[in-house]
Amino acid sequence: MTAIPQERRLVTAIPGPKSQELQARRTAAVAGGVGSVLPVFAARADGGIVEDVDGNRLIDFGSGIAVTSVGASAEAVVRRASAQLADFTHTCFMVTPYEGYVEVCERLAELTPGDHAKKSALFNSGAEAVENAVKIARSYTRRQAVVVFDHGYHGRTNLTMALTSKNMPYKNGFGPFAPEIYRVPVAYGYRWPTGPENCGPEASAQAVDQISKQIGADNVAAIVIEPLLGEGGFIEPAKGFLPALAKFAKDNGIVFVADEIQSGFCRTGQWFACEDEGVVPDLITTAKGIAGGLPLAAVTGRAEIMDAAHAGGLGGTYGGNPVACAAALGAIETMKELDLVSKARHIESVMKGRLSALSEKYDTIGDIRGRGAMIAIELVKDRATKEPDPQATAALAKACHQAGLVVLTCGTYGNVLRFLPPLVIGEDLLNEGLDIVEQAFSAV
């Protein structure tokens, strides 16, 4: 494998002619409902660079949506997955099991918060993990109701669409959805009516009140929340909110589920985002960053809860695929060896420093937030009214793309520019990417 030079290079317009040819083939063959942020076709990727079929090298501030934290072709991931690929690709763990699956579950028990006895089950995608967490919680509690939050995102399957807050593009026209799902307010400090300093206690009191009155705590199987909301706009729940909900869950026999699919595996400067306030979830769902780009997901949690489902009640043909398990062990090895927790914290300090300076020049930046290498800016038309500005957000993203920087947008209002660089990105590329963001602001 030839190393990709870690430098930006533009040799054609973005997208280039070969990407445009592939886009025409794609339009003819791929369903229109499958979108792409940037119609640039990748040829190679690693570190902080994505190289396209035209030979352009783009700086990567997306990581395939927080997946390639260790890079898109990390040595340990490639080595372990290749070795497993040569031995066997599949037997189905439910038919003849294999060690890799067990070892991934052992690593998850060690890495996830809490020192209680833990067990895991492995799946293919984040949505599958969330759906199975709900199944497990319902089996354990013998209750049905599930509580989720404004701005939350949990997947695209039928149940997880019901859990997801945003209609377009995730839910529109795809109903009816699963029943017994209840949505309550989240502690969104930037937009809390009485200010961010009051948000944590007020939002948690409001959520608890609504759950108690509208659902009844005794009917709730699970409270499911992202400790740092992803698609909803990289919202950090205001301090005190998560601990208050976790306590309410514990006091009422409710399973507290932390959805760490986007925020897990060193992304936020800790192994898991819920560690920030010392929250120990009953169940934790993981995917994205777990396996260096191969499809793998997990539900990990208290052994007695995980064992509540009857034998044969959990599974799936490909769940915990042996090649993906090998890749996960390689990704975890890389995270530890390179101390990517510390690297994520350093990325935060560089990004927030640069973006804070930028916010002094541009009034359209309403808020800078996030932790580790999961940072966002919320764009508004007016700082006083905080009216969202999705048009400026889209224009900024486009300007970044044209200059060779992969960035993503998110947020319920479509007005958040989010940054998810690989945790292994070089300092020079990180700063050059931020230079491009700065230039985009001056041009838009």
Side-chain angles (χ1 to χ4, degrees):
M1 184 178 69
T2 310
I4 301 171
Q6 294 296 295
E7 54 192 37
R8 180 176 64 113
R9 180 180 75 171
L10 296 183
V11 294
T12 73
I14 303 293
K18 289 182 180 176
S19 277
Q20 290 179 42
E21 286 173 21
L22 283 166
Q23 181 65 19
R25 286 171 55 191
R26 173 216 168 111
T27 302
V30 179
V34 181
S36 288
V37 170
L38 179 56
V40 163
F41 282 73
R44 300 192 299 162
D46 194 33
I49 291 288
V50 175
E51 185 175 287
D52 74 8
V53 289
D54 289 288
N56 298 299
R57 294 194 201 112
L58 287 71
I59 299 173
D60 185 10
F61 273 17
S63 298
I65 317 184
V67 169
T68 55
S69 299
V70 296
S73 48
E75 186 278 331
V77 173
V78 173
R79 168 171 42 84
R80 286 182 181 244
S82 299
Q84 178 58 53
L85 199 59
D87 288 340
F88 62 93
T89 60
H90 175 79
T91 65
C92 185
F93 191 77
M94 298 179 299
V95 178
T96 54
Y98 37 87
E99 185 180 1
Y101 187 118
V102 177
E103 194 174 348
V104 169
C105 294
E106 289 170 342
R107 294 291 85 74
L108 287 165
E110 292 167 8
L111 293 170
T112 51
D115 55 7
H116 50 275
K118 296 176 207 161
K119 292 188 178 183
S120 294
L122 304 184
F123 305 98
N124 301 294
S125 68
E128 266 190 86
V130 173
E131 193 141 334
N132 277 279
V134 170
K135 284 165 59 176
I136 292 162
R138 283 174 167 165
S139 183
Y140 177 72
T141 60
R142 301 295 174 202
R143 303 172 182 177
Q144 293 184 340
V146 178
V147 173
V148 288
F149 295 83
D150 286 339
H151 309 288
Y153 176 87
H154 301 286
R156 293 175 181 265
T157 58
N158 187 265
L159 175 59
T160 57
M161 278 192 294
L163 302 175
T164 290
S165 179
K166 190 176 180 179
N167 175 51
M168 276 296 286
Y170 307 116
K171 303 166 73 164
N172 195 52
F174 297 143
F177 301 114
E180 287 300 312
I181 309 297
Y182 300 88
R183 197 173 313 284
V184 298
V186 76
Y188 189 170
Y190 177 63
R191 293 190 175 277
W192 197 252
T194 59
E197 64 282 355
N198 300 314
C199 183
E202 288 182 5
S204 56
Q206 200 171 320
V208 165
D209 184 62
Q210 285 191 22
I211 294 166
S212 303
K213 289 189 171 65
Q214 296 180 21
I215 313 163
D218 290 347
N219 295 316
V220 179
I223 292 173
V224 183
I225 189 167
E226 301 158 275
L228 203 163
L229 279 70
E231 300 296 310
F234 282 22
I235 298 162
E236 289 185 85
K239 296 297 182 199
F241 184 75
L242 290 172
L245 284 167
K247 183 181 186 304
F248 173 74
K250 186 176 182 180
D251 291 346
N252 290 278
I254 299 166
V255 176
F256 187 80
V257 182
D259 178 343
E260 292 260 13
I261 286 155
Q262 190 163 163
S263 58
F265 292 100
C266 309
R267 175 55 58 181
T268 62
Q270 286 162 303
W271 275 94
F272 297 96
C274 57
E275 295 176 76
D276 186 62
E277 290 187 89
V279 171
V280 177
D282 297 310
L283 300 179
I284 184 166
T285 60
T286 52
K288 291 192 182 289
I290 193 174
L294 275 75
L296 189 70
V299 183
T300 303
R302 297 184 184 279
E304 68 275 17
I305 299 177
M306 292 297 298
D307 281 342
H310 53 273
L314 304 177
T317 302
Y318 296 107
N321 169 270
V323 181
C325 285
L329 295 170
I332 291 166
E333 175 189 323
T334 305
M335 290 171 200
K336 288 180 172 180
E337 281 189 4
L338 300 182
D339 189 10
L340 294 188
V341 164
S342 296
K343 189 71 196 293
R345 289 176 184 164
H346 177 67
I347 290 170
E348 176 183 349
S349 69
V350 172
M351 281 201 152
K352 283 192 170 173
R354 293 284 303 271
L355 295 171
S356 296
L358 204 57
S359 74
E360 291 173 14
K361 290 173 66 179
Y362 297 101
D363 288 347
T364 188
I365 298 177
D367 194 27
I368 300 165
R369 57 177 179 257
R371 296 198 301 272
M374 190 171 176
I375 304 295
I377 48 179
E378 179 163 357
L379 299 164
V380 293
K381 293 178 180 176
D382 183 290
R383 281 185 177 172
T385 64
K386 300 180 181 178
E387 183 186 347
D389 196 344
Q391 294 81 14
T393 310
L396 282 163
K398 186 175 181 182
C400 289
H401 296 161
Q402 296 300 313
L405 176 68
V406 178
V407 295
L408 306 171
T409 60
C410 66
T412 300
Y413 313 110
N415 69 322
V416 177
L417 203 58
R418 57 172 159 169
F419 307 116
L420 290 161
L423 304 182
V424 295
I425 193 170
E427 185 97 0
D428 52 345
L429 284 182
L430 181 63
N431 276 300
E432 188 179 355
L434 290 164
D435 290 342
I436 291 169
V437 173
E438 199 164 326
Q439 288 156 15
F441 269 92
S442 63
V444 170

